[in-house]
Amino acid sequence: MAATEFDLLFTNATLLTADPAQPTLRHADLGVKDGRIAWLGGTVPEGTRARRRIDASGKVLTPGFVNVHTHAILSMVRGVAADLGFAPSYTPGIPKGPQVNPEQARALAQLGALEALLFGSTLVGDNFVHADVTTEAMAELGLRLTPSWRIHDVDFARVADGEWIYNPAIGERTLRAGLELAERWRGNPRVQVQLATHAVDTCSDAFLREIAGVAERTGMVVNTHLGQSQVEVDRVAARTGRTSTQVLEDSGLLNARLMGGHCIYLTEDDMARMARAGAHAVHIPKCNAASGRLAPTPALKRAGINMALATDTQHADMIELMRWALATARIQEGRVTDEWQPRHVFEMATLGGARAIGQAAHIGSLALGKCADLVMLDFARPHLVPHVEPLGNLVHTGQGRDVQMVVVDGEILVEDGLPTRVDMHSVCAAAEQACRELWGDVGREYWR
Ligand SMILES: [Zn+2]
């Protein structure tokens, strides 16, 4: 190993690996070579060379956070939508996907991706409209993506008025766009396109079966909203006499390549079906809480379902989100339990997400041979002292703003808290301009 020259070498760090075999390593070195973790653990031999050597004393390194369910364009309703009581796509009086033009989509996508990246997400699973444009825009920042078009055959323009009308032409258009996106990014190591089937109430039975066929043929991961609202539950029951989970099962979509977002309104039977199928739950605790809802995560866990974490339309701080996941589970348990400890929510934010998207062999933990996707945090700040239990500090008092450096595939994408590939102020200014236009279109005065 002495002959190795690392591309990047962190020395004397505290590593929170998310690897159950060796969860915390202190006074450890981490070396990166050709985008992979090539040294992990004790001090590298004397004379080891590195193109870039970083003294990580007082710093904590973690795997990059895997944020599997976001809609960056919906940054446009920040500060408003969370107080209206329901998901933006269903809510009247605010800008909607179909109103967003490609230029606005690009600006908002970069804002969302930049926010997530600066807070330590090395992967973002974004889906919405204009995914061709938003994927290009987000990829410019260098982070890993699992993007998708929002695939549905309901006419969303009518849903906010309470009408669910299925139009095969819309289904054909959104699914075709999804497959074209997959074709466009085929072979790119940082971009793996998914099929974001919006929800069971917004996709007809026939369309769900068609998507299942495509997923089977292509092996693509299907990302959906599942048990998101009472409206969904009621609509699906009225249409099919079944639960959303049962309809997914009947359609051939309930399997280990399915990620269900929210998972609030599920029965015990639904959870048993998900567990049997190996389907994954995407826990979105802050969005749920902001709308007065709580996903039954203790029950999901007892059922044996793998859980990932995601910020959805809320601000993209996965560190804060771990705290929400822990607190909301404990509220439901009514006490502190062995099943809900910092290591469990940390796993959800990293390895659990990697499993859900089928990439756990490559990302999600700090381990030899895995992709060098990692985050360096400044633990010298007052709220992170003392360093008795660094993982406890990270989960209970850490913040996205403690992130100093973010690395993907060994490439430094954030340094000293700033992006290396784009100008932060230009990204913010472009997004601000897009929102000024979009809010103007719905007749709402912009604040400045
Ligand atoms: Zn969503």
Side-chain angles (χ1 to χ4, degrees):
M1 186 54 76
T4 301
E5 182 184 31
F6 292 114
D7 299 321
L8 189 58
L9 177 63
F10 297 89
T11 58
N12 200 29
T14 296
L15 308 183
L16 301 174
T17 66
D19 179 351
Q22 45 176 8
T24 304
L25 297 170
R26 291 178 188 261
H27 306 295
D29 291 357
L30 187 148
V32 176
K33 176 88 181 154
D34 298 329
R36 302 263 166 182
I37 297 174
W39 179 275
L40 181 81
T43 307
V44 293
E46 191 100 359
T48 299
R49 293 187 307 165
R51 273 197 248 165
R52 173 91 192 264
R53 183 184 285 257
I54 294 166
D55 177 3
S57 309
K59 317 286 186 193
V60 164
L61 299 191
T62 73
F65 296 104
V66 181
N67 188 358
V68 295
H69 182 125
T70 68
H71 313 291
I73 287 179
L74 288 172
S75 307
M76 69 186 175
V77 297
R78 171 174 294 163
V80 181
D83 301 316
L84 297 178
F86 204 44
S89 297
Y90 296 77
T91 308
I94 63 174
K96 300 276 185 309
Q99 289 158 243
V100 178
N101 71 35
E103 197 180 333
Q104 293 160 342
R106 181 188 154 72
L108 290 161
Q110 287 214 329
L111 180 73
L114 180 56
E115 176 186 343
L117 179 67
L118 292 180
F119 285 167
S121 287
T122 49
L123 182 144
V124 165
D126 198 76
N127 71 80
F128 206 56
V129 297
H130 296 302
D132 50 349
V133 173
T134 58
T135 304
E136 297 275 358
M138 294 172 99
E140 284 177 23
L141 278 69
L143 75 178
R144 220 174 275 286
L145 302 170
T146 52
S148 174
W149 275 87
R150 181 174 69 170
I151 296 169
H152 57 94
D153 62 349
V154 82
D155 184 353
F156 261 113
R158 312 283 291 276
V159 165
D161 303 322
E163 287 190 281
W164 271 244
I165 295 164
Y166 302 102
N167 179 343
I170 295 175
E172 193 192 324
R173 175 166 51 76
T174 56
L175 182 54
R176 183 166 12 94
L179 290 171
E180 283 170 5
L181 188 71
E183 197 51 46
R184 155 71 181 84
W185 291 95
R186 185 190 301 278
N188 186 302
R190 294 195 199 173
V191 181
Q192 191 176 82
V193 176
Q194 300 181 338
L195 293 168
T197 306
H198 179 264
V200 175
D201 66 310
T202 54
C203 295
S204 66
D205 292 340
F207 191 49
L208 289 170
R209 282 194 297 275
E210 186 182 347
I211 295 166
V214 170
E216 191 61 42
R217 195 177 73 241
T218 58
M220 290 167 77
V221 170
V222 175
N223 177 356
T224 191
H225 297 90
L226 175 61
Q228 184 184 12
S229 68
Q230 192 62 47
V231 173
E232 174 204 321
V233 171
D234 295 345
R235 284 276 161 184
V236 172
R239 189 182 87 202
T240 67
R242 315 268 285 158
T243 68
S244 293
T245 308
Q246 290 171 332
V247 174
L248 289 171
E249 191 172 48
D250 295 344
S251 313
L253 281 166
L254 196 68
N255 56 44
R257 291 194 319 277
L258 183 92
M259 300 160 47
H262 294 284
C263 293
I264 303 170
Y265 298 90
L266 298 185
T267 65
E268 292 282 338
D269 176 70
D270 289 335
M271 294 183 216
R273 285 171 198 266
M274 282 184 76
R276 271 200 303 277
H280 310 269
V282 178
H283 185 30
I284 303 174
K286 194 146 61 80
C287 252
N288 296 347
S291 60
R293 285 172 268 253
L294 208 53
T297 45
L300 287 161
K301 185 169 205 171
R302 277 192 286 274
I305 298 167
N306 176 54
M307 277 186 277
L309 272 187
T311 56
D312 201 348
T313 57
Q314 295 278 323
H315 81 286
D317 184 344
M318 292 286 281
I319 299 174
E320 183 187 335
L321 202 68
M322 292 193 285
R323 195 145 63 234
W324 279 88
L326 191 60
T328 53
R330 286 177 177 174
I331 288 168
Q332 294 177 81
E333 297 282 56
R335 62 199 172 95
V336 175
T337 66
D338 290 344
E339 285 70 39
W340 287 96
Q341 290 291 320
R343 66 180 181 278
H344 300 116
V345 291
F346 183 53
E347 184 188 310
M348 288 164 71
T350 53
L351 208 44
R355 275 189 216 112
I357 58 171
Q359 296 190 26
H362 310 293
I363 61 169
S365 61
L366 300 181
L368 272 181
K370 276 199 171 182
C371 298
D373 287 15
L374 53 92
V375 172
M376 185 172 79
L377 301 116
D378 178 9
F379 260 51
R381 295 179 178 184
H383 62 285
L384 293 166
V385 172
H387 299 167
V388 182
E389 180 44 74
L391 181 59
N393 288 12
L394 178 71
V395 169
H396 288 293
T397 61
Q399 305 171 358
R401 281 182 294 173
D402 299 327
V403 170
Q404 283 187 315
M405 181 175 282
V406 181
V407 174
V408 170
D409 277 339
E411 180 189 352
I412 297 172
L413 298 179
V414 174
E415 181 148 22
D416 296 330
L418 290 170
T420 57
R421 286 198 184 190
V422 292
D423 175 65
M424 183 172 79
H425 298 292
S426 308
V427 170
C428 291
E432 191 83 80
Q433 178 56 32
C435 290
R436 189 175 285 110
E437 294 161 9
L438 285 159
W439 280 100
D441 289 346
V442 296
R444 177 139 173 175
E445 200 182 332
Y446 207 74
W447 69 280
R448 68 176 192 189

